Amino acid sequence: VLYKENVGTGTPTPITPEMERVKRNQEICSSVLYKENIGKATPTPVTPEMERVKRNQEIISSVLYKENVGKVTPTPITPEMERVKRNQEIISSVLYKENLGRATPTPLTPEMERVKRNQEQISSVVYKEGLGKATPTPVTPEMERVRRNQEQISSVLYKEHLAKGTPTPMTPEMERAKRNQENISSVLYSDSFRKQVQGKAAYVLDTPEMRRVRETQKHISTVKYHEDFEKNKGTFTPVVTDPITERVKKNMQDFSDISYRGIQRRVVEMEQKRVDQDQENLTG
């Protein structure tokens, strides 16, 4: 208080680019001097005992923190509080966007794509290396029941939070866009299927269990076939006879008679004899 009383009124000065530059230089110098004063250290391996002490310290800190927390009175979230919260989020979003400067978009080159894929693969490998060994636990009926209950509770709570929507009519333009999207999805799916699946066989092991199931299916199919055959044996399906069917039937009968009796062969022989006789009459 006495210090503030002795301080007189000052004149505010704007922060110029030169002052910004000097400030940054001072921060860099302080960082360099701090690092120069640090001596060389000897790294020590993290032993299981150190890990145990660290975990105990974390547990103790958590317990002490909870003990120091006093009792509080919960307050319900009123519509007014919800409105203020939404307004604050909107204001924060607007202020954040106002503080953003203009950026220059850079094209995504093949080299950047390759580096991105490599980074994803490296991250995946490092993540899997850090995973320890786990003990699989069987899924018991009790666990299944709890899981189904949780899904039902989540579904009920989700539906309770849904607000009322305004139905919009389906216009011809929306129908056309929907059909175009379905066509595009179908084309992309077909291309992916041809590239990845078509022409490739799926290998399945021929185990004794699969052979037994296959033989059982054959027996069931045979029994079913004979059952249907015995049931339908002696029955016929009536067919309506029209003039066209009668004409086709008569023509087929004539063709069958000609082929069976050899009439066509005799007609050819008689025609050949007639030609020979005409030739003899002309030469005679």
Side-chain angles (χ1 to χ4, degrees):
V1 175
L2 294 176
Y3 172 74
K4 292 183 179 179
E5 289 179 355
N6 294 328
V7 176
T9 58
T11 303
T13 57
I15 299 176
T16 60
E18 181 65 20
M19 294 173 69
E20 287 285 344
R21 186 183 63 80
V22 172
K23 184 178 178 181
R24 283 197 301 273
N25 291 340
Q26 287 293 330
E27 291 175 354
I28 295 170
C29 293
S30 299
S31 175
V32 171
L33 293 174
Y34 174 75
K35 291 180 180 179
E36 286 180 354
N37 293 327
I38 294 176
K40 295 182 179 179
T42 303
T44 57
V46 179
T47 60
E49 181 65 20
M50 295 173 67
E51 287 285 342
R52 187 183 63 79
V53 172
K54 184 179 178 181
R55 283 197 300 272
N56 292 339
Q57 287 294 330
E58 292 174 354
I59 296 170
I60 293 170
S61 299
S62 176
V63 172
L64 293 176
Y65 173 76
K66 292 180 180 178
E67 288 179 355
N68 292 328
V69 175
K71 295 181 180 180
V72 296
T73 304
T75 57
I77 298 177
T78 61
E80 181 65 19
M81 295 172 68
E82 287 285 343
R83 186 183 63 79
V84 172
K85 183 179 178 181
R86 284 197 299 273
N87 290 340
Q88 287 295 328
E89 292 175 353
I90 295 170
I91 293 169
S92 300
S93 176
V94 172
L95 293 177
Y96 173 75
K97 292 181 180 178
E98 287 180 354
N99 293 327
L100 289 177
R102 295 181 179 178
T104 304
T106 57
L108 195 57
T109 59
E111 180 65 18
M112 294 171 69
E113 286 285 344
R114 186 184 64 79
V115 172
K116 183 179 178 182
R117 284 196 301 272
N118 290 341
Q119 286 294 330
E120 292 175 354
Q121 293 172 359
I122 292 170
S123 300
S124 175
V125 172
V126 172
Y127 173 75
K128 292 180 180 178
E129 288 179 353
L131 291 177
K133 295 182 179 179
T135 304
T137 57
V139 179
T140 60
E142 180 65 18
M143 294 171 68
E144 286 287 340
R145 186 182 64 79
V146 172
R147 181 181 174 186
R148 283 196 300 272
N149 291 340
Q150 287 294 329
E151 291 175 355
Q152 293 171 0
I153 293 169
S154 300
S155 177
V156 171
L157 294 176
Y158 173 75
K159 292 179 180 178
E160 287 180 354
H161 291 127
L162 288 178
K164 295 182 179 179
T166 305
T168 56
M170 186 72 74
T171 60
E173 181 65 20
M174 294 171 69
E175 287 285 345
R176 186 183 63 79
K178 182 179 178 182
R179 283 196 302 273
N180 290 340
Q181 286 295 328
E182 291 175 354
N183 294 335
I184 292 169
S185 299
S186 177
V187 171
L188 294 176
Y189 174 76
S190 300
D191 290 342
S192 177
F193 175 79
R194 281 194 294 270
K195 291 178 181 177
Q196 299 180 7
V197 179
Q198 192 175 15
K200 297 180 180 179
Y203 298 98
V204 181
L205 295 176
D206 191 10
T207 59
E209 182 65 20
M210 293 181 67
R211 285 196 292 270
R212 186 184 64 78
V213 172
R214 188 164 59 245
E215 290 294 330
T216 305
Q217 288 293 331
K218 288 180 181 178
H219 294 326
I220 294 172
S221 300
T222 305
V223 171
K224 183 66 176 175
Y225 173 76
H226 284 290
E227 182 182 349
D228 294 338
F229 176 76
E230 293 294 334
K231 187 183 297 182
N232 297 324
K233 187 170 65 174
T235 62
F236 63 93
T237 303
V239 180
V240 180
T241 304
D242 55 352
I244 296 176
T245 306
E246 287 288 341
R247 184 176 59 80
V248 172
K249 183 178 179 182
K250 188 174 181 301
N251 290 338
M252 293 301 294
Q253 188 67 34
D254 294 339
F255 287 139
S256 299
D257 291 342
I258 291 171
S259 298
Y260 177 72
R261 296 175 183 176
I263 296 174
Q264 183 69 24
R265 180 172 55 81
R266 281 188 287 173
V267 170
V268 173
E269 290 176 356
M270 291 172 65
E271 184 67 24
Q272 186 65 33
K273 288 180 181 180
R274 188 179 63 80
V275 173
D276 294 341
Q277 191 174 3
D278 291 340
Q279 290 289 337
E280 290 177 358
N281 291 334
L282 289 175
T283 55

